[in-house]
Amino acid sequence: MAEDLLIAKGTKEEQYESLIPQLQGLLDGEHHLVANLANIAAALKEQFGWLWVGFYIVRNDELVLGPFQGPVACTRIKKGKGVCGMSWLKAETLIVPDVEKFPGHIACSSLSKSEIVIPIIRNNHVIGVLDVDSIELNDFNVVDKKYLEQIIDLLSINI
Ligand code: SME
């Protein structure tokens, strides 16, 4: 398929609805983990322009930084720490409207104001998380949760 992403305008729903089939096309026939995580991060960043979009992967009982787009970030996060570690511990998506009000939030960038973290669950285990940060307060809601969880489900591979 063409490597150029078609960037949609419109509501958040319309943007996700345009992006998801394109992501499906990018992931189809490619099973390499790093390649797929890298393209998901790049496509989300390109479509939505968020500050930071990326993955942390569980390795030896820690989250380790994976493919991402945005400013450099902390490389390791322990279970239960920060939004990412809490999403891992609870095995659920966390929407944080104001990161300063989240106890234990890990500030990789002082520009980040709100955040959403989606756990990647395979065989009942969290094997990584997708983390998205915005410079706007309250930038994420149930629409993002629904579609970002769908995007994670496109990943057919086990990490
Ligand atoms: N804010 C995250 C840390 C990762 S960075 O935002 C890229 C957290 O509290 O877990």
Side-chain angles (χ1 to χ4, degrees):
M1 72 164 270
E3 305 298 332
D4 282 345
L5 202 68
L6 193 77
I7 301 301
K9 295 199 176 1
T11 65
K12 228 175 209 186
E13 285 91 341
E14 287 166 341
Q15 293 183 59
Y16 279 113
E17 294 285 352
S18 156
L19 186 65
I20 285 177
Q22 297 186 77
L23 271 177
Q24 182 90 66
L26 279 168
L27 301 184
D28 268 357
E30 177 53 72
H31 298 290
H32 194 278
L33 171 68
V34 174
N36 286 336
L37 298 185
N39 262 341
I40 291 174
L44 285 168
K45 172 87 170 150
E46 216 181 329
Q47 175 63 55
F48 293 100
W50 289 313
L51 172 68
W52 198 92
V53 182
F55 292 90
Y56 283 89
I57 308 302
V58 175
R59 285 283 183 269
N60 299 324
D61 219 34
E62 272 184 324
L63 287 170
V64 182
L65 184 62
F68 70 96
Q69 296 271 319
V72 292
C74 41
T75 55
R76 287 169 191 270
I77 298 174
K78 298 219 180 289
K79 200 173 198 171
K81 299 292 178 194
V83 187
C84 292
M86 193 56 79
S87 172
W88 175 19
L89 182 68
K90 292 186 163 179
E92 64 187 40
T93 295
L94 296 181
I95 297 171
V96 180
D98 180 350
V99 294
E100 289 191 6
K101 296 197 175 131
F102 186 95
H105 167 257
I106 301 164
C108 289
S109 165
S110 58
L111 295 174
S112 173
K113 297 282 186 287
S114 60
E115 182 164 359
I116 184 168
V117 179
I118 296 92
I120 307 170
I121 301 171
R122 296 290 182 272
N123 303 321
N124 291 321
H125 283 94
V126 177
I127 55 173
V129 300
L130 167 63
D131 180 20
V132 185
D133 288 75
S134 171
I135 59 169
E136 308 285 344
L137 280 170
N138 203 14
D139 210 8
F140 304 105
N141 58 31
V142 289
V143 173
D144 300 284
K145 175 180 187 305
K146 172 184 159 186
Y147 285 105
L148 292 174
E149 287 176 355
Q150 269 183 35
I151 289 170
I152 289 306
D153 286 344
L154 295 177
L155 280 169
S156 56
I157 41 175
N158 292 315
I159 296 178

